[in-house]
Amino acid sequence: MCHQVAYALPCEHIRTQTVYCANATLENRADGRETKGSSAARSPSLIGETKARGSPKDLSYKRPCGNLTVQSLPYPMPPSFAEDPTIFSSSPLSPNCPLSDCPFEMKGRCWNCCWCGKRGNMTGRCGCVMLVDGNSLQCEHLCCNECEPASIGGRV
């Protein structure tokens, strides 16, 4: 049985990790041939990734067996942050996004929302609660290229 875990990162992007069993198949992209995998392997990737998972020289990748289990989890936060989970995203223990153009990472993990104007967001999704005609609405905008970096405690 193969097992895939999708971790939600602080920036709201997803990183997947798959543990392959011996029944996983190795597919060669160059000629389309498949061979049976011989040992378990780990392969980090992003959901929606379209490029080959191997190195540029290795045009093969593993395909999970027919008995794939899938699990979605938030990225595991160390217990020391249980008192104040908002500071976890600025901690060195928090993983960086694997995307080279992640707006949240490019803004130093602290940003001002371009939709509602909330300043000092420390996670990938805006946490502003707005009052409109007596109703509370959550902004929930994801950090984008239009959002501006914010400074907190002299940090930009």
Side-chain angles (χ1 to χ4, degrees):
M1 170 171 47
C2 294
H3 184 71
Q4 184 178 76
V5 179
Y7 290 107
L9 299 175
C11 61
E12 299 277 333
H13 291 114
I14 305 292
R15 173 178 279 160
T16 61
Q17 181 171 346
T18 305
V19 178
Y20 297 97
C21 71
N23 293 329
T25 56
L26 184 66
E27 185 174 298
N28 188 327
R29 289 200 185 256
D31 61 10
R33 291 184 305 156
E34 292 184 11
T35 57
K36 201 84 144 173
S38 59
S39 64
R42 297 178 188 268
S43 172
S45 66
L46 294 172
I47 288 182
E49 182 179 49
T50 56
K51 60 186 177 183
R53 292 183 185 152
S55 67
K57 295 176 187 174
D58 179 18
L59 295 177
S60 61
Y61 69 98
K62 281 205 170 187
R63 185 184 314 175
C65 71
N67 191 10
L68 174 68
T69 59
V70 178
Q71 188 176 16
S72 294
L73 301 170
Y75 193 83
M77 182 175 59
S80 59
F81 291 96
E83 297 273 332
D84 190 3
T86 58
I87 62 172
F88 176 60
S89 66
S90 62
S91 163
L93 297 174
S94 177
N96 290 333
C97 183
L99 297 175
S100 61
D101 60 347
C102 175
F104 177 69
E105 296 288 348
M106 292 184 338
K107 289 163 183 40
R109 295 181 167 209
C110 187
W111 56 284
N112 300 329
C113 182
C114 69
W115 279 18
C116 71
K118 180 179 184 297
R119 304 181 68 77
N121 286 299
M122 301 291 287
T123 60
R125 188 175 299 271
C126 181
C128 182
V129 177
M130 302 173 283
L131 292 174
V132 178
D133 295 331
N135 298 312
S136 66
L137 300 171
Q138 290 186 324
C139 176
E140 296 191 3
H141 174 65
L142 283 174
C143 183
C144 71
N145 292 329
E146 301 301 315
C147 295
E148 294 180 353
S151 63
I152 293 216
R155 193 179 126 216
V156 176

